[in-house]
Amino acid sequence: MLLKEQEKVRILIVSQHFWPEGFHINDVARSLVAQGHTVDVLTAKPNYPEGRIFTGYRAWGCQQEDYHGATIRRMPLFPRGKDSKVRLALNYLSFIFSGYAFGPWLTRGQKYDVIFVYGVSPILQALPALFLGWLKKSPVVIWVQDLWPESLSATGYVKNRFILKAVEKVVRFIYHHTDLLLVQSRAFIAPVRKLAPRTPIQYHPNSVDESFAKPAMPASHPGVPALDAPFTVMFAGNIGAAQAVDVIVEAAVLLKAHSDIHFIVLGDGSRREWMLQQVRQQGLANLHLPGRFPVETMPGFMQKASVLLVTLADREIFAATVPNKVQAYMAAGRPIIASMNGEGARLVIEAGAGLSAPAENGPALAEAILALYRQPASARQTMAENARAYYNAHFTHEKLVSELIEHFKAVGRNKS
């Protein structure tokens, strides 16, 4: 449907992470363009999760690209590396510096109806967005994906309470000067409201590209070991501290005697090498880590699995979080095991889409896997159908993108 000129929205997305990094904001940008809106993206050089600048890019210099009709404007970035708190801090700070130093120049002459911040960590990336909002007299909307400063302490990157308090003051400043805060989990509303008592807050959940909900072609994914095993438990995504992947290793050890059950962990991250070491040291022939694959292959992988696994660390902040893979798993239409506490596990149970186990509890995870393994195929199929139905009712991508546009228009009216 063609939009009238007055219905089109001019959007600047500010996000430290963007394509070819695999983040949901890629799908959002593509759909906004497809609906007829003008989209620019101010981002950095891709380096996540490997920690090094992707082939074809270099850390220094600016660059412009096209992504399905969206104009990407890339700024210099210090790569995050792996397992280095210093490099990660420099990575975060370099994006902020580049945003102030290069953002106004890269977006010169452009006017925007809204500046939209994809608020994954670090939320500090919103600082240059606020500056651009002031410079261009545009409202700023932040889609809060992680709670700060709680995320810093929960992942162990920062433990010094004085630093955490200083970060909290910066977050208060950011929230106070934002025109609208969108939160990806209903459980985020209270902690965000505590830091932003006067800023409007709305619940806006994540979704995934519609390809996850469509039947995948038989050859739509590369072959990986054990994919055709009788019962596969698949984890897909970042393999890091927040995901508490130790619990997967523990469950794999406990289920070694069940030759039908195999774990497949797709992705990369700071804990992947440790998992590979555990596979070798403990002789885990039932645990496979084939690596990272293009995001377009994920629907095929997920739809092939017997069960899809999501894990999070046992931290209060993560109990409020709904990992984006929950929506992806539901869209793929497979039974889900949520090895986590709080909101994400609640959604899986509410949907009748699978089972939950307490976070970081290996025996409970192994028990949940065995419970699904022993159930008749018809019971697992009912869970799979429930997962897809819940996704269709609450998380379809186009519906949520349309709601996002309504948020943009409303904040624009309030600003004028």
Side-chain angles (χ1 to χ4, degrees), residues 216-342:
M217 299 296 290
S220 63
H221 55 79
V224 302
L227 195 59
D228 293 316
F231 193 84
T232 52
V233 180
M234 182 178 290
F235 172 101
N238 186 51
I239 307 171
Q243 288 71 39
V245 292
D246 308 49
V247 76
I248 302 176
V249 173
E250 189 177 355
V253 171
L254 292 170
L255 297 175
K256 280 175 72 172
H258 296 269
S259 58
D260 282 356
I261 301 175
H262 284 256
F263 293 80
I264 300 174
V265 178
L266 301 175
D268 196 5
S270 61
R271 297 289 282 166
R272 182 172 181 266
E273 187 57 40
W274 175 84
M275 292 189 76
L276 288 169
Q277 291 175 2
Q278 293 302 304
V279 168
R280 293 189 293 268
Q281 291 173 10
Q282 304 201 48
L284 298 178
N286 60 342
L287 176 55
H288 312 271
L289 292 98
R292 181 172 175 265
F293 294 88
V295 67
E296 57 267 21
T297 65
M298 288 300 105
F301 278 123
M302 291 178 183
Q303 292 173 27
K304 184 76 173 173
S306 305
V307 175
L308 295 169
L309 172 63
V310 54
T311 65
L312 273 182
D314 183 12
R315 303 286 189 275
E316 183 179 351
I317 175 185
F318 295 141
T321 300
V322 180
N324 197 35
K325 69 180 65 177
V326 170
Q327 285 92 337
Y329 288 178
M330 286 183 171
R334 304 307 302 144
I336 302 168
I337 293 179
S339 174
M340 57 191 293
N341 303 329

Side-chain angles (χ1 to χ4, degrees), residues 19 47 85 116 121 134-135 148 156-157 189 209 215 221 232 272 302 326 329 332 348 367 383 399:
W19 173 88
N47 74 127
K85 295 178 182 179
F116 180 47
S121 293
W134 171 78
L135 201 64
W148 270 53
Y157 284 115
I189 294 175
D209 185 81
H221 55 79
T232 52
R272 182 172 181 266
M302 291 178 183
V326 170
Y329 288 178
V348 171
E367 185 179 330
M383 291 180 179
K399 168 181 172 290

Side-chain angles (χ1 to χ4, degrees), residues 186 203 205-206 350 389-396 399-400 403:
R186 293 189 188 278
Y203 169 61
N206 284 306
E350 180 178 280
Y390 198 89
Y391 170 82
N392 288 335
H394 299 279
F395 300 128
T396 56
K399 168 181 172 290
L400 289 174
E403 290 179 4

Side-chain angles (χ1 to χ4, degrees), residues 15-290:
S15 174
Q16 181 163 338
H17 301 292
F18 197 74
W19 173 88
E21 297 171 328
F23 285 80
H24 178 49
I25 190 62
N26 306 343
D27 305 323
V28 174
R30 188 169 63 246
S31 294
L32 289 170
V33 173
Q35 288 190 11
H37 305 289
T38 301
V39 178
D40 285 358
V41 181
L42 185 65
T43 188
K45 306 299 175 65
N47 74 127
Y48 180 91
E50 290 90 345
R52 61 181 184 274
I53 301 297
F54 283 20
T55 302
Y57 300 88
R58 54 192 177 88
W60 184 245
C62 297
Q63 188 173 341
Q64 183 168 309
E65 296 176 273
D66 178 84
Y67 178 74
H68 296 277
T71 301
I72 306 176
R73 306 174 192 276
R74 295 194 185 274
M75 305 182 295
L77 185 79
F78 187 88
R80 61 191 286 131
K82 280 195 175 183
D83 301 322
S84 170
K85 295 178 182 179
V86 172
R87 288 185 66 94
L88 186 63
L90 290 173
N91 174 261
Y92 289 175
L93 292 172
S94 67
F95 182 83
I96 297 169
F97 173 81
S98 287
Y100 280 106
F102 299 99
W105 179 72
L106 288 172
T107 60
R108 64 194 183 281
Q110 302 296 320
K111 295 187 178 296
Y112 300 105
D113 298 309
V114 66
I115 295 175
F116 180 47
V117 180
Y118 182 56
V120 294
S121 293
I123 194 64
L124 306 182
Q125 67 183 296
L127 288 169
L130 293 176
F131 177 63
L132 289 170
W134 171 78
L135 201 64
K136 295 177 178 293
K137 297 180 173 56
S138 302
V140 177
V141 176
I142 300 177
W143 192 10
V144 180
Q145 299 289 320
D146 296 318
L147 294 176
W148 270 53
E150 296 92 333
S151 289
L152 283 175
S153 57
T155 54
Y157 284 115
V158 177
K159 296 180 181 179
N160 185 295
R161 62 189 182 93
F162 295 106
I163 295 177
L164 291 172
K165 201 67 181 176
V167 171
E168 180 183 307
K169 288 184 178 180
V170 177
V171 175
R172 283 182 184 273
F173 173 86
I174 290 169
Y175 287 172
H176 177 73
H177 290 86
T178 301
D179 296 278
L180 174 64
L181 293 165
L182 302 177
V183 292
Q184 59 101 318
S185 166
R186 293 189 188 278
F188 275 21
I189 294 175
V192 170
R193 171 67 65 206
K194 185 178 177 181
L195 297 180
R198 291 184 293 276
T199 304
I201 301 171
Q202 295 283 342
Y203 169 61
H204 187 80
N206 284 306
S207 184
V208 290
D209 185 81
E210 295 298 331
S211 62
F212 282 85
K214 295 176 181 176
M217 299 296 290
S220 63
H221 55 79
V224 302
L227 195 59
D228 293 316
F231 193 84
T232 52
V233 180
M234 182 178 290
F235 172 101
N238 186 51
I239 307 171
Q243 288 71 39
V245 292
D246 308 49
V247 76
I248 302 176
V249 173
E250 189 177 355
V253 171
L254 292 170
L255 297 175
K256 280 175 72 172
H258 296 269
S259 58
D260 282 356
I261 301 175
H262 284 256
F263 293 80
I264 300 174
V265 178
L266 301 175
D268 196 5
S270 61
R271 297 289 282 166
R272 182 172 181 266
E273 187 57 40
W274 175 84
M275 292 189 76
L276 288 169
Q277 291 175 2
Q278 293 302 304
V279 168
R280 293 189 293 268
Q281 291 173 10
Q282 304 201 48
L284 298 178
N286 60 342
L287 176 55
H288 312 271
L289 292 98

